[in-house]
Amino acid sequence: MDDIGRKSGHLMLITPERVFYAGLLGRPRQRCSGGFNIYVALEGGLWLTTSDGRQTHSEMIAVLPNVRHTIASDYRSVLSIVIEPESVRPGVLEDLAARLAGPDAAAFTSRIRAAYRELREHHAGNEFSSAEFDSLCLGEVLPQRDLDPRVARAIVQIGKFSGEPVTAASCAAEAGLSPSRFLHLFKEETGISFRSFRAWKRARHLLHFANQDINLAHLAQDIGYPDSTHFSHSIRRFYGLKPRAIFSGSRDLAIYSHRRVAAGNSGLTQEAG
């Protein structure tokens, strides 16, 4: 871990299908992540409020993808794991959420806290496969989803964030399908619309640069947002925070990215640890 991250203990490990975050939680505002979130308190407990008014207090809370919720903590910092839903078989995350809230909750909580200590002390700069990540954090490997190759190729294209923004039309043409047929296939395979999927991945891509001192307007353009207003609204919807607040709270965050990412005109490049 770099010196800044070592002093604060704040880190973020980003792989294409997983994120491990240890850092500031920020103000409790409603958010709606496109990933499956597991929140674990470093100290004290966590408070979850969902959009239907349900409230929960626990040391660990799991939230399924695309569920509007507010998370608050008795302590300023939190541990958080994000699992990309298209990377695991249908039904796996619902089953995992039930087990995380069941009799094994304390064991899962202890394991995730131990994973944080391990990442902080030894492994944050190493390559991590999804299987290795799952084994470290959950003690098991989540079964991988077998995607249609045409959808898998589209997901890879969306995740490149270089050149012209990826559209459904361009993905459909590459797949040899009509746009309507491709959109139907994409939602059938991933469980979410192409547009919503791309919006989440765009917001997720921001995380690679969260500890950098950069021009946010340029970054928004490079990632593919049409303007700064759209950028701010989208990020706040997914994370419950404005972009500037995310960057302000990430100055002491060590980020480890396990793929090369670039942000066009911003001249930003970040290598795997």
Side-chain angles (χ1 to χ4, degrees):
M1 184 182 300
D2 61 29
D3 290 340
I4 294 177
R6 193 182 304 279
K7 290 177 181 178
S8 69
H10 295 169
L11 66 88
M12 182 159 56
L13 171 67
I14 310 172
T15 78
E17 297 177 344
R18 305 286 190 269
V19 175
F20 190 104
Y21 171 77
L24 298 176
L25 179 60
R27 285 187 177 184
R29 290 197 175 108
Q30 190 175 86
R31 60 184 69 188
C32 188
S33 171
F36 177 78
N37 283 259
I38 305 171
Y39 300 101
V40 176
L42 277 168
E43 297 181 23
L46 300 170
W47 298 86
L48 171 75
T49 305
T50 54
S51 57
D52 59 3
R54 179 172 59 90
Q55 292 187 323
T56 305
H57 181 260
S58 180
E59 288 185 282
M60 177 182 62
I61 291 172
V63 183
L64 290 168
N66 305 304
V67 172
R68 295 185 180 278
H69 65 282
T70 301
I71 191 80
S73 175
D74 295 334
Y75 187 65
R76 292 184 67 214
S77 295
V78 71
L79 303 180
S80 175
I81 290 172
V82 182
I83 299 170
E84 298 304 305
E86 78 281 358
S87 70
V88 299
R89 290 179 192 166
V92 166
L93 296 180
E94 288 80 1
D95 176 69
L96 178 59
R99 289 191 290 131
L100 291 171
D104 295 332
F108 276 115
T109 299
S110 296
R111 178 173 284 277
I112 292 170
R113 287 172 175 163
Y116 166 57
R117 292 191 295 270
E118 181 74 9
L119 288 171
R120 183 177 179 182
E121 295 170 10
H122 300 296
H123 295 298
N126 296 343
E127 290 285 341
F128 265 79
S129 67
S130 294
E132 290 168 333
F133 185 105
D134 295 347
S135 294
L136 175 67
C137 299
L138 303 174
E140 61 188 77
V141 177
L142 300 180
Q144 187 174 356
R145 185 183 303 218
D146 294 321
L147 289 168
D148 184 293
R150 294 167 293 185
V151 172
R153 284 196 297 270
I155 290 174
V156 170
Q157 289 299 319
I158 291 170
K160 287 183 177 178
F161 292 96
S162 60
E164 291 297 317
V166 176
T167 65
S170 65
C171 290
E174 185 173 341
L177 298 172
S178 68
S180 61
R181 174 60 189 138
F182 170 77
L183 289 174
H184 177 80
L185 176 66
F186 190 93
K187 187 168 185 178
E188 186 177 59
E189 288 287 303
T190 64
I192 191 171
S193 72
F194 179 89
R195 184 176 181 180
S196 296
F197 183 93
R198 185 181 59 184
W200 162 242
K201 296 301 183 183
R202 187 179 284 162
R204 188 186 192 275
H205 191 66
L206 172 80
L207 299 178
H208 291 279
F209 312 102
N211 63 354
Q212 299 186 26
D213 184 14
I214 58 178
N215 184 303
L216 292 183
H218 291 169
L219 176 61
Q221 182 179 18
D222 294 338
I223 291 177
Y225 290 96
D227 54 60
S228 295
T229 299
H230 187 88
F231 172 55
S232 182
H233 286 171
S234 180
I235 296 303
R236 187 168 182 177
R237 175 166 64 93
F238 286 117
Y239 296 118
L241 296 166
K242 293 181 179 179
R244 195 165 300 282
I246 292 176
F247 279 75
S248 176
S250 301
R251 290 171 182 163
D252 62 354
L253 182 68
I255 297 178
Y256 301 96
S257 172
H258 289 165
R259 65 188 176 94
R260 186 181 180 89
V261 295
N265 295 331
S266 296
L268 303 175
T269 301
Q270 189 167 329
E271 295 279 353

